[in-house]
Amino acid sequence: MAVPRFAADGKPSPPTQAQINAAENKVKQQQAALGAQQGQLSSADAELNSLQVQAEVLTQRYDQTLVDEQRAAAAYKVTEARLQYAQRAQDASQQQLARLAASEFESGGGFGPMTSMLGSAGGPQGYLNGVGLGQVLAQNGTDTVAQAQANNVVASAFRKQAHELLAAQQADLQAASHLKLAIEAAVSRQQEFVRASQAKRNSLASQLATAKAHANALQAARQAALAAAAAAAPAGSPSVCISRVNPVGAMPNGRAEGPPKTVVEVSTTDTSRRMDGWNSTSSKARRARLREISPSAAPSV
């Protein structure tokens, strides 16, 4: 005969229904914990997606701000170059005026206008031509200096505007950089939280599978124990529901073999009745049975 599983495992008795109920309750608890953790993981995933969208927007803003800052820096360099050119032009104009002044001083020789005119190698006409040329050069020099000064003023104004724009773009770039770093850190933290939630969800799923396997094993062990107990019962043993009853009908009297000692003619017309299903141990059955026996028949010896 096959040995039941619980007996083979050395257990004194098969799992009880209480143990099976406890295992099933454990499965329900694990299912509830897994469902709660799955909900938390879904919320964490949604939050991570939102942060990633924000990070993408802030990264694009940072990239655009970086481009604007680079353009502002390039414009500032252009204005710096323009200012330097204006300053060089102004310096050249001042040097030219200085040379004209020195030449005019040398040409005058320290004499009066009349002496210079009569003593000139070209005569009075040459003197007049020289004076006219000097006046023209002086006027041109004055115009050149004025133009250089105007260029210097304009270049200084552009330089100031470019510097202010560059400073503003650099401030925007710094702010965008800080936001970008902050959102990247938030995304990193949320990713770590999601990974931890996933690990906990997987652990709970494993615990649930173990609890289900344990509950199924207990149920199977109990079923196997009941089946083994039913198979171990003897096949021919009478059922406890069967009760013995006394025989029903006429009772024989006299010898078992040979002719009877006496023969008495009797009639059962008045007492005969159907006896199927009657229990001879009841009072009515006994009275009916006694009527089947003749009162005149003597017991045999």
Side-chain angles (χ1 to χ4, degrees), residues 24 30 64 83 119 122 127 134 138 170 181 183 198 221 225 237 245 289 301:
E24 291 177 349
Q30 293 294 336
Q64 184 62 42
L83 178 61
Y127 173 77
Q170 288 176 342
L181 293 176
I183 196 64
Q198 289 175 342
S237 61
V245 296
R289 182 165 51 87
V301 290

Side-chain angles (χ1 to χ4, degrees), residues 169-208:
Q169 292 297 334
Q170 288 176 342
D172 290 344
L173 179 62
Q174 185 176 9
S177 177
H178 290 165
L179 289 175
K180 179 174 177 289
L181 293 176
I183 196 64
E184 287 177 349
V187 169
S188 179
R189 290 193 300 269
Q190 190 66 19
Q191 287 176 338
E192 184 64 25
F193 180 74
V194 168
R195 284 192 292 268
S197 298
Q198 289 175 342
K200 187 174 181 180
R201 188 272 313 273
N202 295 338
S203 176
L204 290 174
S206 178
Q207 294 177 14
L208 175 60

Side-chain angles (χ1 to χ4, degrees), residues 110-218:
F111 299 101
M114 183 58 68
T115 302
S116 298
M117 179 182 66
L118 294 176
S120 175
Q125 185 64 36
Y127 173 77
L128 294 175
N129 292 336
V131 172
L133 179 60
Q135 292 177 350
V136 171
L137 291 177
Q139 183 64 36
N140 290 337
T142 302
D143 293 341
T144 302
V145 171
Q147 183 65 34
Q149 290 177 345
N151 291 337
N152 191 13
V153 171
V154 173
S156 298
F158 277 113
R159 179 178 180 272
K160 181 180 180 181
Q161 293 177 359
H163 182 268
E164 292 176 352
L165 178 61
L166 177 60
Q169 292 297 334
Q170 288 176 342
D172 290 344
L173 179 62
Q174 185 176 9
S177 177
H178 290 165
L179 289 175
K180 179 174 177 289
L181 293 176
I183 196 64
E184 287 177 349
V187 169
S188 179
R189 290 193 300 269
Q190 190 66 19
Q191 287 176 338
E192 184 64 25
F193 180 74
V194 168
R195 284 192 292 268
S197 298
Q198 289 175 342
K200 187 174 181 180
R201 188 272 313 273
N202 295 338
S203 176
L204 290 174
S206 178
Q207 294 177 14
L208 175 60
T210 302
K212 285 183 176 180
H214 179 64
N216 293 334
L218 290 178

Side-chain angles (χ1 to χ4, degrees), residues 63-78:
D63 294 340
Q64 184 62 42
T65 306
L66 179 61
V67 172
D68 294 340
E69 189 271 340
Q70 292 174 349
R71 290 176 179 174
Y76 180 75
K77 290 180 180 179
V78 171

Side-chain angles (χ1 to χ4, degrees), residues 228-257:
S237 61
S239 174
V240 294
C241 298
I242 301 176
S243 60
R244 294 185 178 275
V245 296
N246 295 325
V248 179
M251 297 297 293
N253 290 306
R255 292 181 301 178
E257 296 179 356

